């Protein structure tokens, strides 16, 4: 926000020097701009408080119901749940109609309605034994949440739907006897494929929530870096034989490759996201079903994991600098720093005995931190300069 205000002031000053606007007009423009920026921050605060208040209302209501659950007969339980669910949905609609300038209130009510559906399922499951197969409860939650995304002119139901869909996918892959049961969940396929499938599917809703793409992007980058570092250093998380779970993991990966803009955020271009996703999975494709120490392709996969991890971190830094996205620049430099540390202790950990070795290691880490911080600040400065010239 401070950077945006600085750019606006620079432009207004330039217009005033060129005689395009007068002193009074320049002051009015700056005041209007500051009011708009302050309103954006205020809207964020109001939204956060509305979600917090709605969450507390939901938690308190569910706690009261749970404490008196045994004293309520079965049909009263079902009727009260259905009535309260309709009341929350009606409240979301009415708040949006009466207070169009305060959308956070209606969004919070819609979020409470989606959360109350899950709470009701958890309570009612005590009657109908839905906990005998955990995915059944997630399926019912998804079935109740999905119509909200079409009926309510709100974006909060998209967050409920993506959470319910992720719960369905995860629980089904872990459920014995499921059509998509995973033989192993230690590789990156499920951890990357399932979120991409869920976030991509939610983008098809009539009112998707743009913030979900940012969450998907952060998760995709963090998960890919984690798996590459762990596999390169310890040769763990090395399974690729998912079994029937490939029926849901592979479509998610393919969705991310074919339509990255629908599930992943800006900052990185579509081709950069494709490169990141494909390169992250390349060591496991080369390795096959699982890591074998005596296999030459598997040893090559370990080396490739090291190379890809650092290359993708640098790619994210460059992409963030090009797109003037400080968040991606910082994330890339964090990945570079973590990669260097993990490599150092992996390669030289057996030799770090004695005070001199530890002292030298500490000095080397501090010097590396200093160098990376200088590079990070330079990249942020270049991004700011490019934005200023625009």
């Amino acid at each position: 926000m401070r950077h945006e205000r600085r750019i606006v002031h620079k432009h207004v000053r330039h217009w005033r020097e060129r005689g395009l606007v007068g002193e009074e007009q320049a002051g009015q423009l700056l005041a209007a701009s500051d009011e708009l920026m302050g309103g954006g921050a205020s809207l964020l605060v109001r939204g956060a408080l509305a979600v917090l208040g709605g969450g507390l209302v939901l938690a308190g209501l569910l706690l009261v119901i749970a404490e008196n659950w045994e004293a309520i007969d079965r049909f009263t339980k079902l009727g009260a749940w259905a009535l309260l669910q309709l009341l929350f949905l009606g409240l979301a609609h009415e708040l949006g109609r009466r207070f169009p300038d305060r959308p956070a209130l209606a969004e919070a009510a819609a979020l409470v309605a989606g959360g109350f559906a899950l709470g009701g399922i958890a309570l009612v499951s005590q009657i109908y034994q839905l906990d005998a197969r955990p995915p059944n409860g997630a399926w019912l939650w998804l079935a109740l949440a999905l119509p909200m995304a079409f009926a309510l002119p709100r974006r909060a139901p998209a967050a409920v739907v993506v959470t319910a869909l992720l719960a369905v996918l995860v629980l089904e892959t872990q459920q014995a006897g499921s059509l998509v049961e995973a033989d192993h969940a230690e590789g990156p396929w499920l951890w990357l494929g399932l979120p991409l499938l869920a976030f991509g599917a939610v983008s098809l809703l009539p009112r998707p929530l743009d913030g979900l793409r940012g969450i998907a992007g952060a998760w995709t980058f963090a998960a890919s870096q984690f798996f590459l570092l762990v596999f390169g250093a310890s040769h763990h998380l090395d399974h690729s034989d998912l079994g029937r779970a490939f029926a849901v993991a592979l479509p998610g990966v393919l969705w991310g490759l074919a339509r990255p803009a629908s599930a992943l955020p800006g900052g990185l271009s579509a081709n950069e996201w494709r490169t990141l996703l494909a390169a992250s999975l390349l060591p496991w494709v080369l390795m096959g079903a699982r890591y074998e120490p005596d296999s030459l392709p598997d040893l090559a996969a370990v080396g490739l994991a090291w190379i890809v991890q650092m290359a993708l971190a640098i790619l994210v830094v460059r992409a963030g600098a090009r797109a003037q996205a400080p968040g991606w620049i910082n994330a890339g430099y964090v990945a570079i720093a973590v990669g260097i540390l993990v490599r150092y202790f992996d390669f030289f950990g057996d030799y770090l005995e004695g005070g001199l070795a530890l002292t030298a290691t500490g000095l080397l880490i501090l010097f590396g931190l200093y160098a990376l911080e200088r590079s990070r600040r330079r990249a942020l400065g270049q991004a700011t300069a490019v934005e200023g010239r625009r």
Side-chain angles (χ1 to χ4, degrees), residues 162-176:
V162 76
T163 306
L165 183 54
L166 269 174
V168 166
L169 294 173
V170 171
L171 291 175
E172 285 290 354
T173 56
Q174 303 304 310
Q175 178 67 38

Side-chain angles (χ1 to χ4, degrees), residues 173-309:
T173 56
Q174 303 304 310
Q175 178 67 38
S178 171
L179 295 176
V180 292
E181 179 186 1
D183 291 343
H184 298 281
E186 297 178 7
W189 298 96
L190 284 178
W191 297 88
L192 292 176
L194 297 189
L196 287 173
L197 181 60
F199 285 103
V202 169
S203 70
L204 302 177
L205 293 176
R207 283 169 290 275
L209 186 61
D210 292 337
L212 295 177
R213 295 196 303 153
I215 297 173
W219 172 264
T220 300
F221 178 63
S224 64
Q225 291 286 303
F226 174 78
F227 277 96
L228 289 167
L229 284 170
V230 172
F231 177 58
S234 65
H235 310 162
H236 292 160
L237 304 179
D238 58 338
H239 285 280
S240 285
D241 49 340
L242 292 181
R244 295 193 297 267
F246 258 117
V248 287
L250 188 58
V253 172
L254 293 177
W255 194 316
L257 292 172
R259 299 185 58 192
S262 66
L264 297 166
L268 274 69
S269 67
N271 286 333
E272 286 167 341
W273 275 120
R274 293 186 181 105
T275 300
L276 189 149
L277 189 57
S280 298
L281 296 170
L282 189 58
W284 283 266
V285 174
L286 178 63
M287 178 182 59
R290 63 167 301 164
Y291 174 75
E292 298 291 344
D294 299 330
S295 171
L296 185 59
D298 290 5
L299 293 175
V302 173
L304 183 62
W306 282 125
I307 296 172
V308 167
Q309 186 272 328

Side-chain angles (χ1 to χ4, degrees), residues 16-38:
R16 190 176 56 204
E17 292 172 353
R18 294 284 301 273
L20 300 176
V21 297
E23 289 289 339
E24 183 178 355
Q25 289 176 312
Q28 292 174 348
L29 287 172
L30 292 175
S33 175
D34 290 340
E35 180 182 350
L36 177 62
M37 294 180 184

